[in-house]
Amino acid sequence: MRSPANRRRFPRIATPVYYRPAGPAFLHHRRATVDISLGGMRVYSDDELSIGTQLEIELLLDAEQTLRCWVRIAWIERLPQSAGAAFDIGLEFTDIADEDRRALTKALKAGT
């Protein structure tokens, strides 16, 4: 079995990008990504979700710039109780507007 790093089409970097579920009910749930690329991101979560689930999320690129996109849960692993979160989750971008993809590209280049 190939390692997850070998399956990536885009290099991932650790950069200060935050995400939250889209919609006004979730404004107070801002979480940091573990790493992010143009193809997706890795996050820690306490929410138990299923592989293949589609989610609309909002990325917070900086204090003034956000973008919305759709992601699919590509993989999920339960973490030990001492980890600080229940799950390690891989999210794949499935729908992102061209303008938002350009903004994400710029943010990722600034983070390298």
Side-chain angles (χ1 to χ4, degrees), residues 72-89:
R72 179 187 69 83
I73 297 177
W75 54 266
I76 185 168
E77 294 180 8
R78 183 174 288 281
L79 295 171
Q81 286 185 336
S82 61
F87 301 98
D88 187 2
I89 301 175

Side-chain angles (χ1 to χ4, degrees), residues 2-99:
R2 294 188 314 168
S3 71
N6 292 337
R7 293 187 303 227
R8 294 186 181 137
R9 291 183 4 205
F10 303 101
R12 293 202 173 207
I13 61 170
T15 190
V17 172
Y18 295 88
Y19 79 101
R20 63 184 172 206
F26 298 102
L27 291 177
H28 61 285
H29 291 282
R30 186 176 93 159
R31 299 179 179 118
T33 60
V34 177
D35 59 40
I36 187 167
S37 75
L38 291 176
M41 60 189 187
R42 180 176 161 213
V43 300
Y44 294 136
S45 177
D46 290 327
D47 299 325
E48 187 166 6
L49 303 165
S50 299
I51 292 175
T53 299
Q54 295 278 334
L55 303 169
E56 185 180 15
I57 63 169
E58 194 169 35
L59 295 178
L60 295 81
L61 302 181
D62 58 35
E64 300 168 0
Q65 187 173 20
T66 64
L67 60 94
R68 282 193 182 201
C69 60
W70 284 89
V71 297
R72 179 187 69 83
I73 297 177
W75 54 266
I76 185 168
E77 294 180 8
R78 183 174 288 281
L79 295 171
Q81 286 185 336
S82 61
F87 301 98
D88 187 2
I89 301 175
L91 302 174
E92 175 187 13
F93 294 126
T94 59
D95 189 12
I96 184 168
D98 289 340
E99 181 180 331

